[in-house]
Amino acid sequence: MAQKRGQRGASSSSADDPEVVAHVPLQAVLLADSFNLKFRPITLERPKVLLPLVNVPMIEYTLAWLESVGVEEVFVFCCAHSQQLKQYLNQSEWTKPAARFSVSTIESHDAISAGDALRVIYEKSVIRGDFVLISGDTVSNMSLAQALLEHKERRKKDPLAIMTMIIKHSKPSNVTHQTRLGTDEVIMAFDPETKELRFYEDKADPSQRVISLDKILLADSPAFYMHNDKQDCYIDICSPEVLSLFMDNFDYQHLRRHFVKGLLIDDIMGYKIFTHEIHSSYAARIDNFRSYGTVSKDIMQSWTYPLVPNVKYFGCCSNMKLDRQGVFKALDVVQSRSAQIGAVTLIGSGSTIGDHSVISNSVIGQECTIGRNVSVHGCYIWNNVIIEDDCKLNHAIVCDGVHLRTGVVLEPGVILSFKVEVGQQITIPAYSKVSLLPQPSIQDSDEELEYADANSGVIESRSITSMISTRNAELSPDYSATENSGLSEVGIAGVGYIWCSYEGGNDEEWRHSVAPIPASKLAELSHEDYEDPDVSYQEVNSTPVSGELRPDSEITGDDDADGTDYGDSADFDKEVEATFQRALTGVNQETVILEINSLRLSCNKSHADCAGALFLSVIKLGLEAPNSSNGELYQNTAKEINRWKDILKHYLKSVDEEIEIILKFEEICLEIATELSPLFSTILSSLYEKDILSEDAILSWASEKEGADESDKIFVKQSERFITWLKEASEEEDDED
Amino acid sequence: MARMDFEVVVLAGGTSRKLNPLVSQEIPKALLPVANRPVLSYVLELLEASNLKDLIVVAEGEDAALRIGGWISGAYVDRLHVEVAAVPEGVGTAGALRAVASYLTANDVLIISGDLVTDVPPGAVAATHRRHSAVVTALLCPAPVSGPSDTGTSGGKEKAKKPVCCNIVGLDPTRQYLLHMATGAEVEKDIRVQKSILRAVGQIEIRADLMDAHMYAFKRSVLQDILDQKDKFHSIKQDILPYLIRTQLNSEVSDNGVVKSESGMDNISSQNDLRWLSQHREIAPSAFQEPHAFSLKSLPDARRTHKCCVYISSESKYCARLNSIQAYSDINRDVVGEASHLSGYSFSAQNNIIHPSAELGSKTTVGPQCMLAEGSKLGDKCSVKRSVIGRHCRIGSNVKIVNSIVMNHVTIEDGCSIQGSVVCSNVQLQERVVLKDCQVGAGYVVTTGSDHKSESLARK
């Protein structure tokens, strides 16, 4: 009875008389869209939740778990590729009348984030009580009973306890600061007694060496635990209020970054989030390719029991046999006598393996044909893949229908999307992604309704054009010829586009790839790790006064704030330059202005600073172009100034900013690019002609400089003629008036 | 082995400004009477009980040093071997140590603040220090619950009893290592935890209910190095200790003294200890080892680390520092009250101490948890509750003394009422004076009938 009352309190939709509703079924919301781009290019063609994980679509694992924990109603929220997903579900066991729970789909094509999805679900008003919120790419075998009970107990005592997060111990690597699932380390703080979550940070700024926690955390309780060794399983038990909170805060997008952090910061509503730690059972979310690999191996090693290949759980692929060394083989596999199948490998039904081929630590799908002398190590090969003789595959993901011709080499981290064909003797460089579909440009990246991380725009990426050219250079000529000629299959070559990395840059690819982290990278990182502290300690030690450690000194006063201002103005220039560089690569000017504005706000700079920094970037551009004489240099610079004058003008709202530009220009000529100094007056006059600088600005600059040292007046003198001309011109104008 | 190889430095301080008007040139802080004994005697007797008898006492100011030295040589002749050193005022605790550092020779140094009143054995701190071969070991005790006792009449209800937050400390899951410490002004700010340390341990327990008791064991060579190299360091708790905690995973202290030979190995392995602590709890759910776990260990220059440890005293131990007037009242109250074993006196059946030479008038009552020292006289119909009265006081009739401390040679005339106050030596309270929550400096005369509340009275 007590429990019933608790549920009734929790249920916000009171359509029925509570006395009649004796039983609120446990519901679940399954988000069948990850709202990110990490599985591209594969997700362009198939929703992530239908990708095979050890030959079973991911969503099967999630649904099987939901069924096993007693969930009675599942709402599958589909977004990208909703038709495929619906079709899949309609054909699956889950929607058959015999199924033990009901699965229904909710479809929306506008949702670009988990927040949007939950808002859609709210509007459908289908959730009547506590529900499990899970993403369709989660693998778990935990029992929810205890967590559910705790959640309900808490709700009874405190209606503000609206969410229970499942966490698990998992120590991130000390070197890479990511977990074995390839996710960033999460820093959490919670109350040791109640397990209430007090702090959550999954995107800790790596440049920051300390984590700052609000003192408020210690106001209520004398102690809390801080962890970086917990992994967020992304399984949440939520009360219906969660949905209405998403409704109220229409800007909440990301479940963790916005919702959880939002609740933790908000002390007006006082909503609380609790954690439940699981110890012996398994729970992991497949967030990226690395977790895909890790979870696959965990499944093959039966950590996820009973969700393992040789247990008849999913209906399909039940004819698996477990051999020694953790090798799973379907009964109808045709394997050459001389082929070696190493540890922790699964081979799906109908596949054939040729002579002298070596396979280890891999998953091979159904109906695959593997030729002779092929070596496959740490790969995930899906269905109907043809691998011809002498191929070498190392830590790659190979999707359905791929055809690798003789002698192809896949370096670690390669992703081959559906039906890609690779011509003979071609080596695909590490971390490449190949797809039949061309890479969408950045602007329409949410075409697929996947939510691009808001931060990604700020991350500096290598120029796209240069990426492609280097990539192509690495390929053998006939392959790149294919690329140029589009999709047509050219003789012995293959079909597909090589994608260039667009998010986070190639440098970060290794983090999320299926391939193990290269040793060189590790050495580099651990070296950095050694270097780092010294820097910060020097900083610390340089603060002089006793008792005032670095943390203090930041708050000592206004003068300090000024100090930092000067210190990072060079950084600011760099940032602006980097942003500006992207304008060159095709980002349109308005976006650049927007980004510079946000930089300006975040660095607390004035318009004048922006103008100065931008001007510097433009001048540098002019300098970069090859030049042999001053005349050419002038031409180049003038051309760039002309090209970017719109952006420049945007920041030149008043005379003050224009003067700032002139001063900056002086500085550039004196310090950065001395070769420009003879051109000072010419460029100045061209700036005037292009309406970038007004005569007022130039004249007041000149008058400002009148009292200055001789050394400061070089440029005024150089421009004397121009200035006198200006003066006369303005006097003439005055006369005319 | 009766004596551990520890040298002891007692930092007796000088005339703390915080304790005005209780302290004066004549009575430096170390000699303030707590239950009619100088507060320093509590530390000295604690050390004596631990068989640590060679001490260096550092006092700020020549005057203070002379007075403290004089008192010690009188009281502890033949019991302790004490050197009293004087340092200029305002050099801070680090400065005081710097002045005596060259005299230190033992492997480890125990540093105790002279205003500590505790029954935590220093041996326990020293043993923890030795066991971990730590660079520093600090004694942490439960933060004192401040304010007048709950039965007190003077505004006891105003504040809920809550531990004062004096330090924010971060501990590892086993509560042996000190990973974070915020003192002084930092306590009021956001908690800034170093990521590298969190990464090494995986879990940090942040607590606000522990107090740094100012009893530290230091490795002598490290301490001397720091004092030499960091000449700006002013205070142990605000500079030296945070510095050591901050750099524990990336040690900068040169450890190549005599100590190195015996503890060098431990230093190298200590980061592994921290890692081990975080990993032994649960085995990662896969036999797939991260390959780089090995490569890391094979790195040529393993980062030098050192250990900062803590000894946390149990709740049942008493531990308080006399660093404010409130603390002074609290400690006096506790030493004759709940922590009476510290006072060293034997209590009567009425749970109070009345010296045989004290005289009480008729109908005068002295309640439990009171102390009346030798030669003091009380007139008729007086009432003394939860108070300490010093030597040779002359107290008239109809005087009420509640929750107060009256030092030596005080004259209190008829009809006075004293509540929650501290009355220093040689004060004269004329008739019908009413004091509530006041401090009266030495030699002050409070005129007839005056009524003071929450005031600090002292001679100009």
Side-chain angles (χ1 to χ4, degrees):
Chain A
M1 185 58 208
Q3 194 172 346
K4 213 189 298 169
R5 207 177 298 134
Q7 284 181 344
R8 200 190 309 149
S11 123
S12 63
S13 62
S14 50
D16 300 304
D17 181 16
E19 291 305 320
V20 182
V21 184
H23 170 76
V24 178
L26 182 58
Q27 295 173 308
V29 171
L30 187 154
L31 300 177
D33 195 324
S34 57
F35 303 108
N36 65 42
L37 306 173
K38 286 186 181 142
F39 268 74
R40 281 201 167 184
I42 305 175
T43 46
L44 275 184
E45 291 165 70
R46 194 186 280 186
K48 180 176 164 194
V49 295
L50 292 187
L51 304 184
L53 182 71
V54 194
N55 289 348
V56 177
M58 289 183 196
I59 196 170
E60 290 286 336
Y61 291 93
T62 315
L63 287 171
W65 176 74
L66 286 175
E67 186 199 27
S68 72
V69 296
V71 169
E72 290 160 77
E73 262 183 288
V74 180
F75 298 98
V76 177
F77 181 86
C78 27
C79 187
H81 307 293
S82 54
Q83 285 311 319
Q84 272 190 54
L85 190 67
K86 277 162 105 173
Q87 197 183 347
Y88 175 84
L89 286 174
N90 286 338
Q91 285 165 6
S92 72
E93 297 283 321
W94 303 113
T95 44
K96 301 256 164 70
R100 274 156 59 193
F101 66 168
S102 77
V103 175
S104 42
T105 53
I106 293 175
E107 198 180 334
S108 162
H109 293 283
D110 313 324
I112 54 156
S113 70
D116 290 342
L118 292 179
R119 282 185 275 275
V120 171
I121 288 164
Y122 177 83
E123 278 162 3
K124 303 260 180 207
S125 50
V126 285
I127 299 296
R128 300 189 294 279
D130 291 347
F131 64 98
V132 180
L133 179 60
I134 192 170
S135 150
D137 45 14
T138 310
V139 178
S140 175
N141 63 358
M142 69 173 282
S143 152
L144 206 57
Q146 184 61 33
L148 211 55
L149 192 71
E150 281 174 17
H151 180 78
K152 296 219 151 109
E153 292 284 317
R154 266 198 295 267
R155 286 278 295 169
K156 237 184 291 173
K157 288 195 204 106
D158 183 358
L160 293 175
I162 55 165
M163 184 160 141
T164 302
M165 254 166 77
I166 310 293
I167 55 169
K168 183 164 171 53
H169 181 87
S170 162
K171 182 98 169 72
S173 153
N174 268 21
V175 179
T176 58
H177 309 309
Q178 64 177 15
T179 61
R180 56 192 289 279
L181 292 176
T183 48
D184 291 337
E185 64 178 338
V186 178
I187 294 165
M188 293 190 223
F190 49 76
D191 191 297
E193 298 297 319
T194 63
K195 302 287 176 208
E196 184 190 341
L197 186 72
R198 310 293 302 275
F199 178 80
Y200 186 98
E201 181 61 67
D202 58 349
K203 279 240 183 270
D205 181 0
S207 62
Q208 215 68 48
R209 302 199 42 79
V210 287
I211 319 147
S212 229
L213 284 89
D214 201 317
K215 189 177 170 290
I216 299 269
L217 295 187
L218 282 171
D220 306 331
S221 63
F224 62 85
Y225 283 118
M226 263 182 94
H227 287 273
N228 87 330
D229 56 353
K230 299 287 179 235
Q231 167 200 324
D232 186 348
C233 301
Y234 290 93
I235 299 174
D236 302 322
I237 302 169
C238 303
S239 300
E241 282 89 338
V242 171
L243 292 182
S244 39
L245 270 171
F246 267 98
M247 220 44 207
D248 298 343
N249 299 281
F250 53 84
D251 54 340
Y252 281 177
Q253 305 285 356
H254 194 275
L255 273 181
R256 295 288 183 260
R257 220 161 296 148
H258 300 123
F259 176 70
V260 168
K261 281 191 199 166
L263 284 201
L264 292 178
I265 292 167
D266 179 16
D267 42 6
I268 297 165
M269 305 294 281
Y271 285 116
K272 291 173 190 157
I273 299 170
F274 289 83
T275 57
H276 175 83
E277 189 175 353
I278 52 172
H279 295 277
S280 54
S281 38
Y282 190 87
R285 179 176 173 218
I286 296 157
D287 173 68
N288 50 49
F289 288 120
R290 181 171 299 284
S291 36
Y292 178 84
T294 314
V295 174
S296 295
K297 282 176 181 145
D298 291 342
I299 291 172
M300 282 193 280
Q301 296 190 321
S302 297
W303 289 102
T304 58
Y305 188 86
L307 306 178
V308 294
N310 57 336
V311 171
K312 205 169 181 170
Y313 212 89
F314 302 116
C316 58
C317 54
S318 53
N319 53 350
M320 281 288 168
K321 198 169 120 255
L322 179 58
D323 286 355
R324 275 182 300 165
Q325 288 194 306
V327 176
F328 292 91
K329 250 192 283 182
L331 297 173
D332 51 352
V333 167
V334 181
Q335 183 195 347
S336 155
R337 227 164 234 284
S338 57
Q340 290 175 35
I341 298 185
V344 202
T345 297
L346 180 140
I347 298 175
S349 71
S351 293
T352 58
I353 296 160
D355 300 341
H356 303 291
S357 287
V358 181
I359 298 173
S360 65
N361 282 320
S362 299
V363 176
I364 314 276
Q366 288 156 24
E367 311 291 342
C368 288
T369 311
I370 295 177
R372 279 170 302 205
N373 287 321
V374 172
S375 106
V376 177
H377 180 73
C379 291
Y380 300 93
I381 294 170
W382 298 358
N383 302 331
N384 300 313
V385 173
I386 301 168
I387 300 172
E388 292 183 7
D389 303 351
D390 302 316
C391 287
K392 287 195 182 1
L393 284 73
N394 200 354
H395 296 286
I397 292 179
V398 179
C399 297
D400 291 1
V402 168
H403 189 163
L404 303 183
R405 293 180 209 281
T406 322
V408 168
V409 176
L410 301 187
E411 289 186 355
V414 167
I415 312 290
L416 299 184
S417 189
F418 298 96
K419 294 188 177 127
V420 163
E421 294 184 28
V422 182
Q424 286 179 15
Q425 310 295 339
I426 283 175
T427 300
I428 308 261
Y431 307 123
S432 306
K433 293 173 178 170
V434 187
S435 170
L436 287 193
L437 299 175
Q439 180 166 23
S441 60
I442 291 170
Q443 276 88 347
D444 56 2
S445 64
D446 50 15
E447 186 182 38
E448 205 208 351
L449 302 173
E450 292 201 326
Y451 173 64
D453 192 316
N455 296 339
S456 67
V458 190
I459 302 169
E460 210 179 311
S461 66
R462 260 205 272 163
S463 144
I464 289 166
T465 41
S466 76
M467 279 300 304
I468 286 175
S469 58
T470 54
R471 280 279 167 88
N472 285 347
E474 284 164 24
L475 294 173
S476 66
D478 56 348
Y479 190 78
S480 42
T482 326
E483 236 201 305
N484 296 339
S485 61
L487 282 171
S488 68
E489 186 173 349
V490 186
I492 49 165
V495 182
Y497 290 97
I498 291 202
W499 283 29
C500 51
S501 75
Y502 48 89
E503 196 178 311
N506 194 33
D507 300 345
E508 295 290 305
E509 288 284 355
W510 56 269
R511 277 194 184 272
H512 295 150
S513 153
V514 275
I517 300 165
S520 59
K521 204 83 211 174
L522 285 175
E524 191 184 309
L525 276 174
S526 49
H527 188 65
E528 269 173 33
D529 230 31
Y530 280 99
E531 295 296 298
D532 258 20
D534 296 337
V535 181
S536 80
Y537 291 136
Q538 274 164 14
E539 245 172 84
V540 171
N541 295 340
S542 66
T543 52
V545 255
S546 93
E548 294 292 303
L549 298 171
R550 189 160 65 118
D552 291 79
S553 59
E554 284 173 13
I555 317 180
T556 40
D558 302 339
D559 50 350
D560 220 273
D562 287 345
T564 54
D565 235 38
Y566 288 114
D568 61 22
S569 75
D571 290 344
F572 178 72
D573 283 357
K574 268 188 209 141
E575 292 278 343
V576 169
E577 200 184 328
T579 314
F580 181 71
Q581 290 285 330
R582 263 182 301 147
L584 298 177
T585 61
V587 178
N588 69 25
Q589 297 201 355
E590 273 166 35
T591 323
V592 171
I593 288 173
L594 202 67
E595 283 182 22
I596 292 176
N597 276 342
S598 64
L599 262 178
R600 176 175 73 84
L601 292 174
S602 65
C603 299
N604 198 14
K605 296 286 180 179
S606 64
H607 267 281
D609 290 317
C610 288
L614 258 177
F615 185 70
L616 174 65
S617 317
V618 172
I619 293 290
K620 276 191 175 170
L621 218 58
L623 286 170
E624 273 169 20
N627 61 77
S628 52
S629 68
N630 275 350
E632 236 176 283
L633 183 64
Y634 169 69
Q635 290 292 328
N636 288 336
T637 316
K639 206 178 81 198
E640 293 299 341
I641 289 173
N642 195 32
R643 191 166 151 211
W644 301 109
K645 65 178 183 200
D646 288 344
I647 289 195
L648 277 175
K649 273 189 200 158
H650 189 267
Y651 287 96
L652 298 174
K653 301 266 156 111
S654 72
V655 177
D656 287 344
E657 280 127 28
E658 290 171 23
I659 294 174
E660 169 74 23
I661 276 213
I662 305 177
L663 293 175
K664 189 90 186 176
F665 189 32
E666 274 189 298
E667 194 189 314
I668 294 170
C669 291
L670 278 176
E671 289 163 15
I672 301 166
T674 40
E675 64 264 39
L676 271 179
S677 42
L679 296 174
F680 183 86
S681 64
T682 13
I683 294 178
L684 191 66
S685 61
S686 75
L687 282 172
Y688 171 73
E689 277 159 27
K690 302 237 168 72
D691 276 342
I692 294 170
L693 297 181
S694 67
E695 58 182 66
D696 285 350
I698 296 172
L699 289 177
S700 49
W701 164 70
S703 62
E704 230 172 75
K705 283 275 170 175
E706 250 157 40
D709 288 349
E710 278 309 304
S711 59
D712 265 3
K713 283 162 79 174
I714 319 167
F715 295 114
V716 183
K717 286 207 173 134
Q718 201 193 88
S719 328
E720 216 163 7
R721 263 184 53 205
F722 175 59
I723 291 165
T724 32
W725 175 79
L726 270 182
K727 272 187 192 153
E728 280 164 11
S730 67
E731 273 161 22
E732 270 171 34
E733 270 173 39
D734 289 345
D735 290 348
E736 279 167 29
D737 294 344
Chain B
M1 272 285 285
R3 216 195 79 191
M4 291 180 288
D5 186 15
F6 262 96
E7 269 164 331
V8 183
V9 177
V10 179
L11 301 176
T15 48
S16 165
R17 213 171 293 131
K18 269 196 208 163
L19 290 171
N20 268 339
L22 307 190
V23 291
S24 58
Q25 287 303 53
E26 290 78 38
I27 304 186
K29 175 174 160 179
L31 297 182
L32 267 184
V34 169
N36 291 328
R37 275 166 54 187
V39 61
L40 188 60
S41 69
Y42 290 87
V43 166
L44 297 182
E45 268 159 44
L46 183 73
L47 292 167
E48 189 189 16
S50 305
N51 216 6
L52 291 161
K53 294 185 181 173
D54 284 307
L55 320 174
I56 300 175
V57 173
V58 188
E60 280 189 12
E62 292 287 343
D63 249 14
L66 274 177
R67 286 179 197 277
I68 292 168
W71 167 72
I72 291 176
S73 53
Y76 291 95
V77 64
D78 296 338
R79 287 166 66 191
L80 294 172
H81 179 248
V82 181
E83 302 269 0
V84 179
V87 292
E89 286 185 53
V91 294
T93 46
L97 279 180
R98 218 170 263 131
V100 298
S102 53
Y103 302 115
L104 302 172
T105 52
N107 281 346
D108 297 284
V109 185
L110 194 67
I111 293 162
I112 301 180
S113 173
D115 58 6
L116 185 64
V117 178
T118 184
D119 51 356
V120 178
V125 179
T128 308
H129 183 69
R130 277 294 169 80
R131 190 166 64 240
H132 294 289
S133 73
V135 160
V136 61
T137 304
L139 169 66
L140 298 182
C141 58
V145 178
S146 183
S149 66
D150 32 5
T151 44
T153 47
S154 52
K157 303 275 176 340
E158 284 167 23
K159 273 184 202 166
K161 271 179 89 171
K162 199 184 160 199
V164 209
C165 178
C166 7
N167 296 109
I168 294 173
V169 292
L171 304 171
D172 77 306
T174 60
R175 296 183 183 169
Q176 296 179 63
Y177 296 101
L178 188 53
L179 306 172
H180 175 78
M181 168 82 91
T183 46
E186 278 175 70
V187 170
E188 298 303 317
K189 293 170 194 161
D190 286 353
I191 308 151
R192 295 165 65 93
V193 179
Q194 255 182 291
K195 271 191 207 158
S196 54
I197 293 181
L198 177 61
R199 278 173 186 150
V201 240
Q203 172 184 345
I204 296 184
E205 183 184 11
I206 304 279
R207 292 178 66 164
D209 57 348
L210 290 174
M211 180 185 84
D212 177 4
H214 289 220
M215 185 196 286
Y216 311 102
F218 275 99
K219 186 160 278 179
R220 195 248 321 149
S221 58
V222 170
L223 182 65
Q224 283 175 337
D225 280 351
I226 294 177
L227 291 173
D228 283 351
Q229 287 162 16
K230 313 280 178 189
D231 52 354
K232 296 255 169 54
F233 280 9
H234 183 79
S235 135
I236 297 176
K237 70 161 183 175
Q238 291 191 331
D239 300 314
I240 299 180
L241 191 60
Y243 167 77
L244 284 172
I245 294 169
R246 209 168 56 220
T247 57
Q248 57 184 313
L249 290 184
N250 191 42
S251 179
E252 290 170 353
V253 291
S254 70
D255 213 0
N256 45 9
V258 202
V259 206
K260 183 72 179 178
S261 52
E262 65 178 60
S263 62
M265 282 311 292
D266 298 273
N267 280 346
I268 289 163
S269 62
S270 72
Q271 192 184 10
N272 293 340
D273 279 4
L274 288 182
R275 284 221 186 90
W276 180 81
L277 281 170
S278 64
Q279 272 167 349
H280 80 278
R281 309 184 332 126
E282 274 166 282
I283 301 156
S286 172
F288 280 91
Q289 289 282 339
E290 283 183 282
H292 49 82
F294 298 100
S295 65
L296 190 78
K297 277 178 194 147
S298 61
L299 276 164
D301 54 338
R303 197 186 302 179
R304 291 170 0 112
T305 61
H306 57 242
K307 293 186 201 173
C308 300
C309 294
V310 286
Y311 176 81
I312 301 175
S313 71
S314 72
E315 293 275 348
S316 60
K317 295 284 186 189
Y318 185 79
C319 192
R321 288 190 59 223
L322 201 171
N323 51 7
S324 66
I325 288 169
Q326 181 64 56
Y328 181 66
S329 311
D330 292 345
I331 293 173
N332 269 294
R333 181 195 68 216
D334 293 338
V335 165
V336 294
E338 52 192 70
S340 56
H341 57 284
L342 279 169
S343 64
Y345 299 102
S346 50
F347 284 75
S348 71
Q350 286 79 41
N351 200 14
N352 54 21
I353 311 147
I354 297 171
H355 196 270
S357 63
E359 292 171 27
L360 286 105
S362 67
K363 291 190 182 167
T364 286
T365 56
V366 178
Q369 301 184 7
C370 281
M371 180 163 185
L372 195 53
E374 65 210 68
S376 284
K377 280 185 190 158
L378 273 84
D380 300 337
K381 293 182 189 164
C382 289
S383 162
V384 181
K385 287 178 189 161
R386 287 186 302 279
S387 297
V388 176
I389 295 171
R391 297 179 185 89
H392 306 291
C393 292
R394 294 278 171 276
I395 296 170
S397 301
N398 281 319
V399 173
K400 255 178 87 178
I401 302 175
V402 181
N403 278 328
S404 297
I405 297 139
V406 177
M407 294 186 196
N408 304 331
H409 303 287
V410 174
T411 309
I412 300 174
E413 294 180 6
D414 296 351
C416 286
S417 165
I418 304 167
Q419 266 192 28
S421 299
V422 180
V423 181
C424 291
S425 298
N426 300 317
V427 166
Q428 189 189 355
L429 302 184
Q430 292 176 347
E431 286 180 23
R432 297 186 313 284
V433 164
V434 177
L435 294 180
K436 198 175 177 206
D437 302 330
C438 288
Q439 296 88 41
V440 188
Y444 193 79
V445 178
V446 185
T447 49
T448 309
S450 53
D451 188 341
H452 294 282
K453 230 180 191 182
S454 305
E455 276 179 74
S456 176
L457 311 168
R459 276 194 303 195
K460 291 288 172 302

